[in-house]
Amino acid sequence: HLTAKELAILELLMSNPGKLFSRERILSSVWGLNMDPGTNVVDVYIGRLRKIIDRDSEESMIETVRGRGFRLNLPPGRI
């Protein structure tokens, strides 16, 4: 089961697999423009999502691009 925020982040990442989404873009899309860009809330929620969707996998489907953001990498046939 996903929370509303976890689902919103996953939907955003799934809207364009392979596309890099900055923390700022995720914050504005999921929480609105009034969030502090220095917050680690995105990292916390990405960590929660990884525990759920990568439970039985050795590699995470959500890739962190250090200093730039996150992207969803789906294995072939998983769209």
Side-chain angles (χ1 to χ4, degrees):
H1 295 92
L2 298 176
T3 67
K5 297 294 186 194
E6 291 165 346
L7 183 59
I9 293 170
L10 187 57
E11 287 176 340
L12 179 64
L13 295 173
M14 289 179 69
S15 71
N16 201 341
K19 179 181 177 183
L20 187 65
F21 290 91
S22 68
R23 284 175 176 80
E24 293 80 11
R25 169 81 187 275
I26 295 170
L27 280 170
S28 68
S29 296
V30 176
W31 281 271
L33 296 174
N34 57 350
M35 291 293 293
D36 174 15
T39 183
N40 73 337
V41 69
V42 173
D43 300 88
V44 170
Y45 275 82
I46 292 290
R48 290 179 186 175
L49 275 173
R50 283 183 173 138
K51 286 181 183 176
I52 295 167
I53 66 174
D54 297 329
R55 183 178 22 209
D56 298 324
S57 178
E58 291 182 22
E59 284 190 40
S60 180
M61 289 195 302
I62 301 174
E63 177 187 2
T64 301
V65 179
R66 191 176 184 115
R68 299 197 51 219
F70 303 93
R71 72 174 137 226
L72 184 66
N73 294 316
L74 294 178
R78 296 259 333 239
I79 295 179

XYZ file of all heavy atoms in Angstrom:
628
model
N 0.832 -1.184 0.000
C 0.000 0.000 0.000
C 0.872 1.240 0.000
O 1.836 1.323 0.759
C -0.914 -0.007 1.216
C -1.900 -1.121 1.190
N -1.646 -2.349 1.784
C -3.123 -1.218 0.638
C -2.694 -3.120 1.606
N -3.601 -2.470 0.900
N 0.513 2.196 -0.841
C 1.252 3.445 -0.935
C 0.427 4.575 -0.338
O -0.793 4.595 -0.473
C 1.558 3.784 -2.394
C 2.420 2.808 -3.183
C 2.528 3.267 -4.626
C 3.792 2.683 -2.577
N 1.123 5.531 0.274
C 0.435 6.736 0.724
C 0.138 7.592 -0.505
O 0.664 7.350 -1.603
C 1.300 7.540 1.705
O 2.440 8.054 0.991
C 1.761 6.692 2.891
N -0.671 8.619 -0.316
C -1.022 9.504 -1.429
C 0.227 10.170 -2.011
O 0.356 10.293 -3.243
C -2.022 10.555 -0.972
N 1.147 10.595 -1.165
C 2.372 11.256 -1.638
C 3.284 10.262 -2.357
O 3.873 10.584 -3.394
C 3.132 11.905 -0.481
C 2.370 13.002 0.214
C 2.147 14.189 -0.674
C 1.499 15.312 0.135
N 0.968 16.362 -0.686
N 3.429 9.064 -1.830
C 4.240 8.033 -2.487
C 3.671 7.727 -3.868
O 4.413 7.631 -4.848
C 4.287 6.766 -1.642
C 5.070 6.897 -0.363
C 4.824 5.778 0.623
O 3.859 4.999 0.466
O 5.615 5.679 1.589
N 2.362 7.599 -3.939
C 1.709 7.320 -5.214
C 1.910 8.474 -6.188
O 2.191 8.257 -7.369
C 0.220 7.050 -5.000
C -0.575 6.680 -6.246
C -0.012 5.435 -6.910
C -2.037 6.482 -5.891
N 1.805 9.715 -5.708
C 1.987 10.878 -6.577
C 3.406 10.923 -7.140
O 3.603 11.233 -8.324
C 1.663 12.157 -5.814
N 4.401 10.617 -6.320
C 5.788 10.591 -6.802
C 5.967 9.480 -7.827
O 6.553 9.691 -8.898
C 6.780 10.408 -5.636
C 6.766 11.633 -4.731
C 8.197 10.152 -6.162
C 7.536 11.451 -3.440
N 5.447 8.301 -7.530
C 5.570 7.180 -8.455
C 4.880 7.487 -9.784
O 5.419 7.206 -10.853
C 5.006 5.905 -7.829
C 5.210 4.622 -8.614
C 6.681 4.363 -8.904
C 4.600 3.447 -7.861
N 3.700 8.094 -9.729
C 2.989 8.468 -10.958
C 3.798 9.471 -11.773
O 3.858 9.379 -12.995
C 1.611 9.033 -10.633
C 0.620 7.989 -10.189
C -0.716 8.566 -9.765
O -0.794 9.777 -9.437
O -1.694 7.805 -9.763
N 4.409 10.442 -11.086
C 5.235 11.428 -11.783
C 6.404 10.742 -12.483
O 6.655 10.979 -13.666
C 5.747 12.479 -10.796
C 6.654 13.560 -11.373
C 5.902 14.421 -12.382
C 7.225 14.420 -10.253
N 7.116 9.882 -11.765
C 8.246 9.178 -12.367
C 7.796 8.265 -13.502
O 8.481 8.143 -14.524
C 8.994 8.371 -11.300
C 9.677 9.166 -10.190
C 10.234 8.228 -9.123
C 10.765 10.065 -10.740
N 6.647 7.627 -13.338
C 6.128 6.713 -14.362
C 5.579 7.457 -15.574
O 5.433 6.859 -16.634
C 5.044 5.808 -13.774
C 5.591 4.776 -12.813
S 4.296 3.736 -12.107
C 3.811 2.810 -13.553
N 5.295 8.752 -15.419
C 4.750 9.518 -16.542
C 5.751 9.628 -17.692
O 5.361 9.851 -18.836
C 4.331 10.921 -16.084
O 5.464 11.724 -15.791
N 7.016 9.458 -17.373
C 8.053 9.516 -18.391
C 9.266 8.720 -17.922
O 10.268 9.300 -17.477
C 8.426 10.976 -18.667
C 9.095 11.155 -20.003
O 9.599 10.203 -20.593
N 9.103 12.379 -20.478
N 9.204 7.378 -17.985
C 10.321 6.548 -17.526
C 11.628 6.947 -18.219
O 11.648 7.228 -19.405
C 9.914 5.130 -17.927
C 8.435 5.185 -18.061
C 8.123 6.581 -18.539
N 12.680 7.009 -17.431
C 13.989 7.382 -17.957
C 14.269 8.871 -17.900
O 15.413 9.290 -17.997
N 13.218 9.686 -17.730
C 13.401 11.135 -17.637
C 13.862 11.497 -16.234
O 13.362 10.970 -15.252
C 12.105 11.867 -17.949
C 12.245 13.364 -17.838
C 10.958 14.088 -18.130
C 11.172 15.584 -17.931
N 9.945 16.318 -18.138
N 14.797 12.422 -16.158
C 15.315 12.879 -14.885
C 14.397 13.961 -14.309
O 14.077 14.929 -14.985
C 16.727 13.439 -15.076
C 17.485 13.821 -13.829
C 17.761 12.584 -12.970
C 18.787 14.489 -14.203
N 13.958 13.752 -13.065
C 13.127 14.720 -12.360
C 13.929 15.281 -11.193
O 14.377 14.527 -10.324
C 11.843 14.066 -11.828
C 10.868 13.683 -12.903
C 10.905 12.425 -13.476
C 9.924 14.591 -13.356
C 10.013 12.068 -14.473
C 9.029 14.246 -14.352
C 9.073 12.981 -14.918
N 14.099 16.589 -11.168
C 14.840 17.221 -10.077
C 14.010 17.169 -8.798
O 12.784 17.014 -8.834
C 15.151 18.681 -10.419
O 13.956 19.443 -10.441
N 14.676 17.333 -7.663
C 13.974 17.395 -6.385
C 12.962 18.540 -6.397
O 11.862 18.403 -5.897
C 14.968 17.574 -5.239
C 15.708 16.325 -4.885
C 16.783 16.583 -3.814
N 17.424 15.343 -3.428
C 18.377 14.752 -4.116
N 18.798 15.273 -5.249
N 18.910 13.624 -3.691
N 13.378 19.677 -6.973
C 12.492 20.831 -7.044
C 11.239 20.534 -7.847
O 10.138 20.939 -7.482
C 13.233 22.039 -7.633
C 14.336 22.576 -6.747
C 15.650 21.784 -6.826
O 15.804 20.916 -7.736
O 16.504 22.005 -5.959
N 11.404 19.816 -8.945
C 10.240 19.455 -9.779
C 9.307 18.520 -9.012
O 8.090 18.663 -9.053
C 10.723 18.798 -11.069
C 9.649 18.154 -11.904
C 8.895 19.164 -12.749
N 7.765 18.570 -13.429
C 7.809 17.948 -14.592
N 8.951 17.843 -15.236
N 6.727 17.449 -15.127
N 9.874 17.560 -8.305
C 9.057 16.635 -7.515
C 8.347 17.400 -6.398
O 7.145 17.217 -6.180
C 9.908 15.476 -6.964
C 10.448 14.626 -8.130
C 9.092 14.614 -5.996
C 11.489 13.595 -7.732
N 9.073 18.283 -5.715
C 8.457 19.088 -4.651
C 7.298 19.913 -5.180
O 6.220 19.944 -4.584
C 9.488 20.018 -4.005
C 10.402 19.407 -2.968
C 11.511 20.393 -2.604
C 9.618 19.007 -1.726
N 7.499 20.601 -6.289
C 6.434 21.461 -6.812
C 5.255 20.654 -7.333
O 4.103 21.054 -7.171
C 6.963 22.395 -7.897
O 7.337 21.691 -9.048
N 5.519 19.490 -7.926
C 4.434 18.662 -8.465
C 3.633 17.956 -7.381
O 2.421 17.804 -7.499
C 4.997 17.611 -9.418
O 5.582 18.209 -10.534
N 4.302 17.530 -6.325
C 3.649 16.706 -5.308
C 3.198 17.519 -4.088
O 2.109 17.313 -3.575
C 4.568 15.544 -4.875
C 3.963 14.732 -3.752
C 4.868 14.641 -6.079
N 4.027 18.458 -3.651
C 3.711 19.209 -2.437
C 3.284 20.641 -2.710
O 2.802 21.320 -1.818
C 4.906 19.227 -1.483
C 5.046 17.970 -0.716
C 4.465 17.682 0.481
C 5.810 16.821 -1.063
N 4.812 16.420 0.885
C 5.644 15.870 -0.046
C 6.623 16.506 -2.141
C 6.265 14.626 -0.075
C 7.229 15.276 -2.175
C 7.050 14.348 -1.156
N 3.499 21.164 -3.903
C 3.184 22.551 -4.191
C 4.410 23.433 -4.028
O 5.452 23.002 -3.549
N 4.301 24.663 -4.418
C 5.445 25.568 -4.448
C 5.882 26.078 -3.089
O 6.921 26.696 -2.971
C 5.123 26.764 -5.358
C 4.914 26.409 -6.821
C 4.463 27.643 -7.595
C 6.195 25.858 -7.425
N 5.121 25.840 -2.041
C 5.442 26.412 -0.745
C 6.398 25.576 0.094
O 6.620 25.886 1.251
C 4.167 26.677 0.055
C 3.334 25.416 0.246
O 3.599 24.394 -0.365
N 2.325 25.502 1.077
N 6.995 24.554 -0.469
C 7.934 23.716 0.284
C 9.338 24.297 0.203
O 9.734 24.869 -0.797
C 7.956 22.288 -0.271
C 6.696 21.500 -0.022
S 6.399 21.138 1.705
C 7.733 20.042 2.061
N 10.102 24.120 1.260
C 11.501 24.550 1.315
C 12.332 23.648 0.408
O 12.361 22.429 0.602
C 11.992 24.463 2.763
C 13.474 24.748 2.919
O 14.088 25.284 1.971
O 14.010 24.445 3.996
N 13.021 24.210 -0.596
C 13.809 23.365 -1.498
C 14.978 22.653 -0.822
O 15.537 21.717 -1.371
C 14.301 24.333 -2.575
C 14.174 25.681 -1.978
C 13.091 25.612 -0.941
N 15.356 23.069 0.388
C 16.446 22.423 1.102
C 16.008 21.233 1.931
O 16.822 20.559 2.552
N 14.720 20.934 1.913
C 14.195 19.823 2.704
C 14.612 18.476 2.107
O 14.859 18.373 0.908
C 12.661 19.901 2.799
O 12.200 18.833 3.630
C 12.000 19.760 1.442
N 14.677 17.460 2.955
C 15.032 16.125 2.459
C 13.794 15.234 2.311
O 13.911 14.028 2.192
C 16.049 15.466 3.385
C 15.451 15.021 4.697
O 14.426 15.540 5.136
N 16.080 14.065 5.342
N 12.618 15.840 2.290
C 11.379 15.064 2.233
C 11.326 14.186 0.977
O 10.850 13.056 1.031
C 10.137 15.973 2.367
C 9.934 16.855 1.151
C 8.895 15.159 2.641
N 11.827 14.681 -0.138
C 11.816 13.878 -1.369
C 12.681 12.635 -1.182
O 12.270 11.527 -1.536
C 12.292 14.704 -2.587
C 12.451 13.818 -3.819
C 11.322 15.838 -2.875
N 13.853 12.804 -0.591
C 14.749 11.666 -0.359
C 14.103 10.628 0.554
O 14.244 9.422 0.331
C 16.065 12.154 0.247
C 16.766 13.140 -0.663
O 16.488 14.337 -0.555
O 17.569 12.689 -1.489
N 13.395 11.090 1.567
C 12.713 10.184 2.496
C 11.651 9.378 1.754
O 11.571 8.150 1.890
C 12.092 10.963 3.673
C 11.188 10.070 4.508
C 13.182 11.582 4.542
N 10.847 10.054 0.952
C 9.784 9.360 0.231
C 10.330 8.438 -0.859
O 9.789 7.354 -1.082
C 8.779 10.359 -0.357
C 7.738 10.748 0.659
C 7.976 11.718 1.616
C 6.498 10.117 0.672
C 7.030 12.072 2.550
C 5.537 10.462 1.600
C 5.807 11.430 2.537
O 4.848 11.762 3.466
N 11.404 8.840 -1.522
C 12.041 7.960 -2.511
C 12.544 6.697 -1.806
O 12.395 5.582 -2.316
C 13.191 8.677 -3.244
C 12.660 9.793 -4.151
C 14.059 7.690 -4.021
C 11.901 9.349 -5.380
N 13.129 6.855 -0.630
C 13.588 5.694 0.151
C 12.449 4.749 0.480
O 12.591 3.524 0.385
N 11.307 5.310 0.871
C 10.129 4.474 1.171
C 9.653 3.733 -0.070
O 9.315 2.549 -0.014
C 8.994 5.341 1.711
C 9.233 5.890 3.081
C 8.062 6.741 3.492
N 8.303 7.415 4.749
C 7.462 8.292 5.282
N 6.345 8.617 4.660
N 7.749 8.857 6.428
N 9.602 4.456 -1.200
C 9.180 3.817 -2.451
C 10.110 2.676 -2.835
O 9.650 1.620 -3.270
C 9.146 4.844 -3.584
C 7.894 5.665 -3.725
C 8.086 6.745 -4.783
C 6.701 4.785 -4.076
N 11.393 2.897 -2.688
C 12.353 1.840 -3.030
C 12.115 0.588 -2.198
O 12.202 -0.526 -2.713
C 13.779 2.336 -2.820
C 14.267 3.238 -3.911
C 15.702 3.629 -3.685
N 16.191 4.371 -4.834
C 16.950 5.446 -4.742
N 17.327 5.897 -3.566
N 17.355 6.058 -5.822
N 11.846 0.744 -0.920
C 11.593 -0.414 -0.064
C 10.375 -1.201 -0.537
O 10.335 -2.419 -0.404
C 11.395 0.029 1.383
C 12.679 0.435 2.049
C 12.437 0.844 3.481
C 13.735 1.327 4.113
N 13.534 1.813 5.481
N 9.406 -0.501 -1.091
C 8.180 -1.157 -1.537
C 8.351 -1.783 -2.918
O 8.076 -2.965 -3.112
C 7.003 -0.157 -1.545
C 6.703 0.296 -0.113
C 5.767 -0.773 -2.187
C 5.787 1.498 -0.019
N 8.818 -0.999 -3.888
C 8.827 -1.504 -5.268
C 10.054 -2.348 -5.599
O 10.020 -3.098 -6.568
C 8.656 -0.374 -6.307
C 9.853 0.572 -6.305
C 7.365 0.374 -6.088
C 9.798 1.619 -7.405
N 11.106 -2.224 -4.811
C 12.318 -2.995 -5.075
C 12.505 -4.144 -4.097
O 13.594 -4.686 -3.974
C 13.553 -2.088 -5.005
C 13.549 -1.010 -6.063
O 12.999 -1.241 -7.150
O 14.098 0.070 -5.791
N 11.466 -4.502 -3.431
C 11.515 -5.494 -2.355
C 12.242 -6.772 -2.745
O 13.032 -7.295 -1.993
C 10.081 -5.782 -1.920
C 9.914 -6.713 -0.803
C 8.468 -6.882 -0.422
N 7.565 -6.531 -1.498
C 6.342 -6.060 -1.327
N 5.875 -5.894 -0.133
N 5.582 -5.770 -2.348
N 11.976 -7.294 -3.930
C 12.560 -8.573 -4.343
C 13.638 -8.424 -5.412
O 13.948 -9.377 -6.115
C 11.456 -9.500 -4.870
C 10.426 -9.813 -3.800
O 10.815 -9.938 -2.623
O 9.234 -9.905 -4.135
N 14.218 -7.233 -5.511
C 15.188 -6.976 -6.564
C 16.527 -6.548 -5.969
O 16.578 -5.947 -4.914
C 14.658 -5.868 -7.480
O 15.592 -5.563 -8.469
N 17.583 -6.872 -6.678
C 18.912 -6.454 -6.226
C 19.206 -5.018 -6.628
O 20.012 -4.349 -5.994
C 19.971 -7.384 -6.808
C 19.914 -8.782 -6.223
C 21.004 -9.671 -6.772
O 22.023 -9.135 -7.260
O 20.842 -10.897 -6.709
N 18.598 -4.543 -7.708
C 18.808 -3.180 -8.188
C 17.532 -2.381 -8.034
O 16.438 -2.896 -8.234
C 19.210 -3.183 -9.664
C 20.633 -3.596 -9.901
C 21.049 -3.360 -11.332
O 20.676 -2.326 -11.907
O 21.742 -4.233 -11.873
N 17.686 -1.102 -7.713
C 16.535 -0.229 -7.577
C 16.063 0.249 -8.942
O 16.876 0.566 -9.816
C 16.885 0.985 -6.713
O 15.765 1.826 -6.598
N 14.754 0.311 -9.117
C 14.201 0.859 -10.348
C 14.275 2.382 -10.337
O 14.208 3.012 -11.382
C 12.760 0.402 -10.556
C 12.660 -1.066 -10.901
S 11.061 -1.583 -11.561
C 9.949 -1.117 -10.269
N 14.400 2.981 -9.155
C 14.521 4.434 -9.052
C 16.004 4.753 -8.903
O 16.641 4.386 -7.922
C 13.722 4.989 -7.864
C 12.240 4.637 -8.014
C 13.926 6.502 -7.755
C 11.395 5.030 -6.821
N 16.529 5.435 -9.890
C 17.944 5.800 -9.903
C 18.124 7.208 -9.353
O 17.381 8.126 -9.712
C 18.474 5.741 -11.327
C 19.916 6.179 -11.459
C 20.381 6.264 -12.905
O 19.577 6.022 -13.829
O 21.559 6.580 -13.097
N 19.107 7.378 -8.503
C 19.499 8.699 -8.023
C 20.655 9.193 -8.878
O 21.656 8.498 -9.025
C 19.963 8.646 -6.552
O 18.898 8.152 -5.747
C 20.390 10.018 -6.062
N 20.493 10.368 -9.452
C 21.575 11.014 -10.179
C 22.059 12.127 -9.259
O 21.382 13.141 -9.091
C 21.110 11.563 -11.541
C 22.257 12.245 -12.256
C 20.527 10.435 -12.393
N 23.170 11.887 -8.639
C 23.679 12.757 -7.584
C 23.713 14.230 -8.011
O 24.251 14.571 -9.053
C 25.069 12.300 -7.175
C 25.561 12.965 -5.930
C 26.901 12.410 -5.526
N 27.297 12.998 -4.286
C 27.443 12.342 -3.157
N 27.248 11.053 -3.127
N 27.800 12.959 -2.066
N 23.078 15.062 -7.180
C 23.050 16.494 -7.424
C 22.071 16.943 -8.487
O 21.929 18.129 -8.749
N 21.358 15.988 -9.113
C 20.451 16.344 -10.212
C 19.026 15.885 -9.980
O 18.100 16.583 -10.339
C 20.982 15.785 -11.520
C 22.366 16.396 -11.822
C 22.830 16.266 -13.214
N 21.842 16.708 -14.177
C 21.635 16.087 -15.334
N 22.325 15.035 -15.664
N 20.731 16.549 -16.180
N 18.823 14.683 -9.420
C 17.464 14.224 -9.203
C 17.313 12.719 -9.294
O 18.238 11.972 -9.000
N 16.123 12.308 -9.738
C 15.762 10.892 -9.761
C 15.103 10.547 -11.090
O 14.460 11.379 -11.714
C 14.768 10.584 -8.631
C 15.271 10.954 -7.280
C 14.991 12.195 -6.729
C 16.049 10.073 -6.544
C 15.462 12.555 -5.475
C 16.528 10.413 -5.290
C 16.230 11.657 -4.761
N 15.239 9.283 -11.478
C 14.527 8.790 -12.660
C 14.146 7.340 -12.444
O 14.790 6.604 -11.689
C 15.338 8.978 -13.926
C 16.514 8.077 -14.068
C 17.177 8.236 -15.430
N 18.612 8.250 -15.266
C 19.421 9.104 -15.836
N 18.956 10.029 -16.638
N 20.712 9.047 -15.625
N 13.094 6.935 -13.135
C 12.606 5.568 -13.065
C 13.166 4.797 -14.243
O 12.986 5.194 -15.399
C 11.075 5.548 -13.102
C 10.418 4.193 -12.943
C 10.673 3.637 -11.540
C 8.932 4.296 -13.200
N 13.870 3.727 -13.956
C 14.418 2.844 -14.987
C 13.675 1.528 -14.910
O 13.861 0.763 -13.968
C 15.916 2.625 -14.772
C 16.714 3.892 -14.972
O 16.486 4.624 -15.910
N 17.627 4.159 -14.062
N 12.838 1.294 -15.898
C 12.064 0.060 -15.917
C 12.777 -1.004 -16.733
O 13.246 -0.722 -17.841
C 10.691 0.318 -16.518
C 9.770 1.225 -15.714
C 8.462 1.427 -16.461
C 9.508 0.660 -14.339
N 12.843 -2.206 -16.192
C 13.402 -3.305 -16.992
C 12.525 -3.537 -18.221
O 11.333 -3.236 -18.204
C 13.332 -4.511 -16.055
C 13.084 -3.970 -14.692
C 12.436 -2.636 -14.877
N 13.080 -4.043 -19.308
C 12.277 -4.307 -20.512
C 11.043 -5.142 -20.188
O 11.116 -6.088 -19.417
C 13.239 -5.085 -21.418
C 14.598 -4.697 -20.940
C 14.464 -4.449 -19.465
N 9.918 -4.736 -20.748
C 8.673 -5.470 -20.539
C 7.926 -5.131 -19.264
O 6.938 -5.762 -18.952
N 8.346 -4.097 -18.516
C 7.701 -3.760 -17.248
C 6.870 -2.489 -17.314
O 6.548 -1.906 -16.318
C 8.728 -3.604 -16.131
C 9.472 -4.836 -15.802
C 9.051 -5.598 -14.596
N 8.423 -4.965 -13.500
C 8.862 -4.953 -12.259
N 10.034 -5.471 -11.966
N 8.158 -4.424 -11.301
N 6.542 -1.996 -18.502
C 5.725 -0.788 -18.608
C 4.266 -1.150 -18.632
O 3.824 -2.067 -19.180
C 6.111 0.043 -19.849
C 7.527 0.542 -19.679
C 5.157 1.187 -20.060
C 8.055 1.369 -20.829
